[in-house]
Amino acid sequence: MSAPTSAGAPVTIPATGFPVERFTLPNGLRVVLTPDRSAPVIAVGVVYDVGIRSEPQGRTGFAHLFEHLMFQGSENLEKLAHFRYVQASGGVFNGSTHLDYTDYYETLPSNALERALFLEADRMRRPELTEENLANQIAVVKEEIRVNVKNRPYGGFPWLLLPPVMFDTFANAHDGYGSFEDLESATVEDAESFFSTYYAPGNAVLAVGGDLDVARATELIEVHFGDVEARPVPVRPSFAEPDLTSERRAEHHDAMAPLPAVAMAWRVPDPVNDLNAYLAYVVLAEVLTDGDASRLVERLVLKDAIATSVSGYLGFMGDPFDVRDPTAFLLQAHFPPAVKSETVITAVDEELDRLANSGLQPGELSRVQARLAAHLLREVDAVLGRTLTTAVLEQQRGRAELINDLPHLLAEVTAEQVVAAAQTLRPARRALLELVPGGAQ
């Protein structure tokens, strides 16, 4: 497929045709199957429609804490049994908490498909929520925060530190890792209520990909998940907020950071309901920061030598296609201590103005679109990446097939759309966070 552009030759994107089969169980569980018989490997992923934004006030970090609790035993399995069964089958497993969902997954040899389905169904049916497990996992999560945030240079920068600058509501602005005070005050009753509310089968998507027979996989899913009790599905509230009308700035002191840094963010169109407009910002991020030929790397790092690194991306957690509205376009830079932050900020603004006023160079758009397509294709080449991607696309959009369409949709973004997106990145719409290193004031 070739997409016309006004900034160079059309870019040709290889076509993918991953098959997608779907059905829904009587208890509301949505199922997506993506068979691929090229290797004897399967992946199983369950995505629940609950994430950091769903946490109640006074319980920051609870979505992540509950993810940990889901590995502490279930209705028919003692603590650590999930680990042993997956690893004894030659598989790997994990889970992760995001702004808008929580996922659990395994990759195993294909002859262990039924084992993986049993394990996921058992904890969907009933995790082991006890005082002992809760206390143990609160301690584990607190240590994770110490390691990843409190005792690490740039810990939480900018994904935890910039949202409270940009947003006003608790759902969008609070610390998703959680405060120690909130974590320590969590109770088993809180956990049971959270499970009952958000972990209903009708609030989840089960995705299975890889070396599977559709008929047999369907039969096994019905056997293991069909008797999971149906429960009411919560209505997802709107997390919408008005856009900024004036610049907001904040400063964060990091005693362990060796270099100063700055991060800035702007609101972008709804990634689910206004996908075409949103994709222009995905392309723009690459135009500005992807590789030595990108505009900000070339100007700030290579030419002016006022920054040591520059990056740009969509979404505070860095994945443009697994987040709902409201979300943001982010730019961040680290720079030498002798350089003033205003020097970096001014250079960014100048490059945005240059793009907004003068447009793209010949070949610039097609180069970026080819790199974006290659990145997307690499992500879904492995069975686990493909399976989790289809699960999230189905959960948030009801469109698992979008996995085949995204590279081509990005290739159809025009130079005019990219320029129009750059024109919206004005200081008056910006949230900006400066990181001051060491003992500097």
Side-chain angles (χ1 to χ4, degrees):
M1 174 182 177
S2 295
T5 76
S6 60
V11 57
T12 300
I13 303 299
T16 59
F18 299 120
V20 175
E21 304 276 348
R22 60 161 60 78
F23 60 94
T24 302
L25 294 180
N27 58 16
L29 179 66
R30 289 173 287 165
V31 181
V32 177
L33 305 178
T34 51
D36 174 8
R37 310 307 292 267
S38 62
V41 178
I42 55 100
V44 174
V46 181
V47 172
Y48 293 90
D49 197 348
V50 57
I52 291 168
R53 280 199 255 235
S54 299
E55 294 170 343
Q57 285 189 266
R59 289 293 179 266
T60 59
F62 202 86
H64 176 232
L65 172 62
F66 196 86
E67 175 215 319
H68 280 245
L69 290 172
M70 287 285 279
F71 288 94
Q72 301 305 302
S74 53
E75 184 168 85
N76 295 294
L77 294 170
E78 72 277 13
K79 190 171 183 174
L80 302 180
H82 191 114
F83 298 54
R84 292 197 301 272
Y85 281 122
V86 174
Q87 292 171 338
S89 301
V92 295
F93 64 92
N94 212 333
S96 58
T97 306
H98 302 253
L99 288 177
D100 295 306
Y101 71 94
T102 306
D103 61 14
Y104 304 87
Y105 52 87
E106 297 85 15
T107 305
L108 308 102
S110 54
N111 63 0
L113 171 60
E114 184 169 13
R115 174 170 289 192
L117 294 175
F118 165 76
L119 293 172
E120 287 298 346
D122 204 57
R123 62 178 166 188
M124 180 182 286
R125 191 174 288 107
R126 180 72 183 175
E128 189 69 14
L129 303 176
T130 66
E131 295 286 357
E132 178 186 359
N133 285 341
L134 179 62
N136 175 269
Q137 291 310 300
I138 288 172
V140 170
V141 170
K142 287 171 62 179
E143 183 61 20
E144 186 176 330
I145 294 170
R146 292 186 187 99
V147 171
N148 291 338
V149 180
K150 293 183 179 295
N151 296 312
R152 171 179 290 187
Y154 310 105
F157 179 82
W159 77 278
L160 293 177
L161 300 170
L162 190 51
V165 184
M166 167 163 270
F167 295 115
D168 294 321
T169 64
F170 171 81
N172 295 319
H174 76 274
D175 180 349
Y177 249 140
S179 71
F180 282 9
E181 180 181 3
D182 283 358
L183 290 168
E184 289 165 354
S185 64
T187 67
V188 171
E189 290 73 23
D190 292 331
E192 290 174 341
S193 175
F194 197 82
F195 172 75
S196 178
T197 300
Y198 294 110
Y199 278 70
N203 206 41
V205 172
L206 166 67
V208 184
D211 184 24
L212 62 92
D213 175 80
V214 171
R216 177 58 176 160
T218 300
E219 178 185 346
L220 291 173
I221 290 166
E222 290 172 342
V223 166
H224 290 286
F225 288 89
D227 65 346
V228 177
E229 180 185 4
R231 298 194 302 277
V233 176
V235 176
R236 186 177 186 272
S238 171
F239 297 119
E241 287 193 38
D243 196 0
L244 299 183
T245 57
S246 62
E247 186 179 45
R248 294 182 180 181
R249 291 197 177 203
E251 190 175 275
H252 173 71
H253 291 260
D254 186 335
M256 286 172 284
L259 296 176
V262 63
M264 52 195 83
W266 297 261
R267 291 281 297 277
V268 294
D270 187 327
V272 175
N273 296 320
D274 197 4
L275 179 60
N276 288 336
Y278 177 79
L279 290 177
Y281 290 86
V282 177
V283 176
L284 175 60
E286 304 302 300
V287 168
L288 292 172
T289 65
D290 184 34
D292 289 349
S294 64
R295 293 191 172 221
L296 292 182
V297 173
E298 186 177 44
R299 166 75 187 276
L300 275 66
V301 179
L302 301 178
K303 180 183 175 185
D304 293 357
I306 58 172
T308 58
S309 65
V310 182
S311 59
Y313 47 94
L314 275 292
F316 288 96
M317 299 183 78
D319 190 329
F321 302 117
D322 72 354
V323 67
R324 292 170 166 141
D325 192 62
T327 187
F329 178 102
L330 286 87
L331 294 173
Q332 67 182 78
H334 295 72
F335 50 93
V339 175
K340 295 184 180 299
S341 61
E342 286 303 324
T343 302
V344 176
I345 295 166
T346 298
V348 170
D349 287 339
E350 289 174 353
E351 287 304 308
L352 290 173
D353 286 341
R354 185 167 71 90
L355 177 55
N357 294 324
S358 303
L360 294 162
Q361 298 297 313
E364 188 173 15
L365 180 58
S366 58
R367 173 184 60 81
V368 165
Q369 287 170 322
R371 287 172 68 97
L372 267 172
H375 174 70
L376 287 173
L377 293 170
R378 279 196 302 270
E379 280 192 339
V380 301
D381 183 56
V383 64
L384 179 60
R386 190 183 320 141
T387 301
L388 291 178
T389 298
T390 56
V392 175
L393 291 175
E394 186 70 16
Q395 178 232 5
Q396 296 185 352
R397 306 162 187 266
R399 293 180 61 192
E401 295 87 353
L402 198 59
I403 192 172
N404 294 313
D405 300 334
L406 279 173
H408 303 296
L409 292 173
L410 286 164
E412 292 170 358
V413 173
T414 66
E416 290 77 15
Q417 289 175 292
V418 176
V419 170
Q423 290 169 347
T424 69
L425 304 188
R426 304 291 87 197
R429 297 183 58 246
R430 177 170 65 196
L432 189 147
L433 177 66
E434 295 183 49
L435 183 142
V436 180
Q441 298 293 320

